Amino acid sequence: MKVFVQIPCLNEEQTLPLVLDTIPKELPGVDSVEVLIIDDGSTDRTIEVAKAHGVKHFVIHARNMGLARSFRDGVDYALAHGADIVVNTDGDNQYKQERIADLVAPVVSGEADIAIADRQTKKIAHFSPFKKVMQQVGSQVVNIAAETELPDAASGFRAYSKASLLRLNVITQFSYCMETIIQAGNKRLRIASVAIDTNPKTRESRLFNNIFQHMAKSGSAIVRAYLMFKPHHVLGWIAAVTGVIGLIPFVRFLVYAIMGEGGGHIQSLIFGLMLLTCAFMTLVLMIIADLQRTNRVLVEEALERIKLVQYGTPNNPLVGSGETVPTSTGPVATGWVDGEPRELDPAQHTGPVTDDAIVDQWATAAGRETTAPRRDA
């Protein structure tokens, strides 16, 4: 079993050595531990520092692409290089890397598909009382959307199994933290929480300028992810509320009409018609959104099958899936080339990659797959 510890970095030459020096070289139940640096457009000596500490795996962005893109590109690289578990940590030394063993333990043992560190934010000294409250509120909102019970949904110190990563798709541009939890919860992946202590603060966050910006962007990501999976909950309630309120003016107008005074209350009829029109339009949107959700499920199933061909079958199935998945160290698929059956084994990149190099290597492999139509056996 191979674990990749990926570290998104943006000008982290000062703190990166502290992180790299404390990452465990061995983990219980794990054959090898690899370190991956995702350089998100750094202008300092981050890459040189990492190489000086023996790091051999790099994903390099020519310009800043954001945390979500860095996470996604790092996962693609790690899976393409045989990762069974991907651990995500930060380059600012916020997390104690010595706890990686505890973080991956539930995933290695098969007790969970994803493990998320609980920073115990109430104990963090540099968090203001307002920030502590907002962290708890945000976690509760995510738990409602994902049907989970996580104490620290914003924590970026996480371990993902290969099987879970094949099912998750990051589409947000801000941060993957909230979105992956909501996806995992709605896809019935098992998520474990591991309590940890954090290191003293080394610098201000570069992900957002202030807590209000973080709240706005996180809230937007939560709403978008929730609408992806349960559009009928939100739109259904809006339609119900506007429909009920819209009926009230109609009833009022009817009462006055029965009393012979309806002529002076046409405005109630107009107001009720407006609200009922809103309710009807919301119902139409709900039907469209539900159809889109069905289409998204089909697309994600197709993406999962593509990832299985691209990255190979996971050694361990999803927790509780009941699947028997064989361990495979050979070619990831079979196909037909020039009218003959052939095992497909796309070559893996061995050096640093930049942006779309991972996609390019698989595109090259795909170009070798089927130069002749498949024949029936």
Side-chain angles (χ1 to χ4, degrees):
M1 180 173 291
K2 181 185 293 186
V3 171
F4 260 79
V5 180
Q6 67 175 30
I7 312 173
C9 294
L10 176 60
N11 298 328
E12 304 288 9
E13 66 172 322
Q14 299 297 325
T15 56
L16 187 57
L18 300 174
V19 178
L20 295 175
D21 289 340
T22 53
I23 293 178
K25 301 298 187 294
E26 297 180 356
L27 295 171
V30 173
D31 299 319
S32 64
V33 179
E34 305 286 345
V35 177
L36 167 64
I37 298 295
I38 304 108
D39 180 57
D40 194 25
S42 297
T43 56
D44 65 355
R45 298 180 59 256
T46 295
I47 296 296
E48 289 79 0
V49 169
K51 289 181 178 179
H53 283 73
V55 178
K56 300 179 181 178
H57 300 280
F58 296 88
V59 173
I60 302 173
H61 291 164
R63 57 176 296 182
N64 181 258
M65 304 296 291
L67 182 59
R69 177 61 183 267
S70 296
F71 173 80
R72 188 178 66 188
D73 288 351
V75 166
D76 286 343
Y77 182 99
L79 293 179
H81 285 74
D84 297 295
I85 297 175
V86 176
V87 174
N88 193 87
T89 186
D90 283 348
D92 61 357
N93 199 41
Q94 174 185 177
Y95 306 113
K96 293 184 177 180
Q97 312 307 322
E98 300 91 338
R99 298 300 303 276
I100 290 179
D102 299 321
L103 189 65
V104 302
V107 182
V108 172
S109 64
E111 297 176 7
D113 305 304
I114 302 170
I116 299 177
D118 172 17
R119 295 171 294 176
Q120 304 179 81
T121 53
K122 292 182 179 180
K123 300 180 180 179
I124 300 179
H126 63 269
F127 274 21
S128 66
F130 178 73
K131 187 173 183 178
K132 292 178 180 179
V133 172
M134 288 298 99
Q135 289 283 352
Q136 294 179 6
V137 172
S139 295
Q140 287 303 316
V141 172
V142 173
N143 285 331
I144 293 173
E147 299 180 10
T148 54
E149 297 179 357
L150 298 171
D152 188 9
S155 173
F157 193 30
R158 304 180 173 196
Y160 295 85
S161 70
K162 179 178 180 178
S164 68
L165 291 171
L166 295 181
R167 300 197 65 190
L168 298 177
N169 300 289
V170 178
I171 60 174
T172 184
Q173 299 298 317
F174 175 58
S175 174
Y176 67 93
C177 294
M178 309 297 185
E179 182 182 7
T180 53
I181 290 177
I182 295 175
Q183 284 193 37
N186 283 279
K187 292 180 178 181
R188 297 299 184 261
L189 304 183
R190 185 171 299 182
I191 309 175
S193 180
V194 180
I196 66 166
D197 295 322
T198 58
N199 291 320
K201 183 178 180 180
T202 57
R203 61 165 175 78
E204 295 296 332
S205 174
R206 294 180 181 139
L207 187 61
F208 51 88
N209 296 325
N210 54 66
I211 190 173
F212 297 103
Q213 183 189 38
H214 182 263
M215 290 168 56
K217 290 188 175 181
S218 297
S220 175
I222 293 171
V223 171
R224 177 180 296 179
Y226 188 71
L227 284 173
M228 283 176 57
F229 289 95
K230 298 179 180 178
H232 53 285
H233 284 191
V234 178
L235 298 175
W237 274 105
I238 294 176
V241 171
T242 53
V244 170
I245 296 177
L247 286 174
I248 294 175
F250 273 94
V251 174
R252 181 175 181 271
F253 176 80
L254 180 61
V255 171
Y256 279 110
I258 294 175
M259 297 171 60
E261 302 177 4
H265 300 279
I266 299 298
Q267 62 272 23
S268 296
L269 200 62
I270 296 175
F271 181 65
L273 181 61
M274 290 175 58
L275 289 176
L276 289 178
T277 301
C278 289
F280 175 75
M281 294 301 296
T282 305
L283 285 174
V284 172
L285 287 175
M286 184 179 69
I287 294 172
I288 295 174
D290 190 65
L291 293 174
Q292 288 184 327
R293 181 173 67 92
T294 302
N295 184 66
R296 177 187 54 77
V297 171
L298 296 176
V299 170
E300 287 191 337
E301 288 180 356
L303 283 173
E304 186 176 349
R305 293 176 183 273
I306 292 173
K307 290 177 182 178
L308 284 171
V309 174
Q310 179 175 348
Y311 300 127
T313 305
N315 290 329
N316 296 319
L318 294 173
V319 174
S321 65
E323 300 175 1
T324 302
V325 180
T327 300
S328 176
T329 58
V332 297
T334 57
W336 291 80
V337 177
D338 295 330
E340 297 296 333
R342 184 179 69 84
E343 292 181 330
L344 305 178
D345 188 12
Q348 294 181 349
H349 194 81
T350 57
V353 297
T354 57
D355 293 346
D356 297 326
I358 297 174
V359 177
D360 292 340
Q361 73 174 16
W362 286 103
T364 301
R368 302 194 308 265
E369 287 185 13
T370 54
T371 57
R374 181 174 177 173
R375 69 181 184 185
D376 294 331

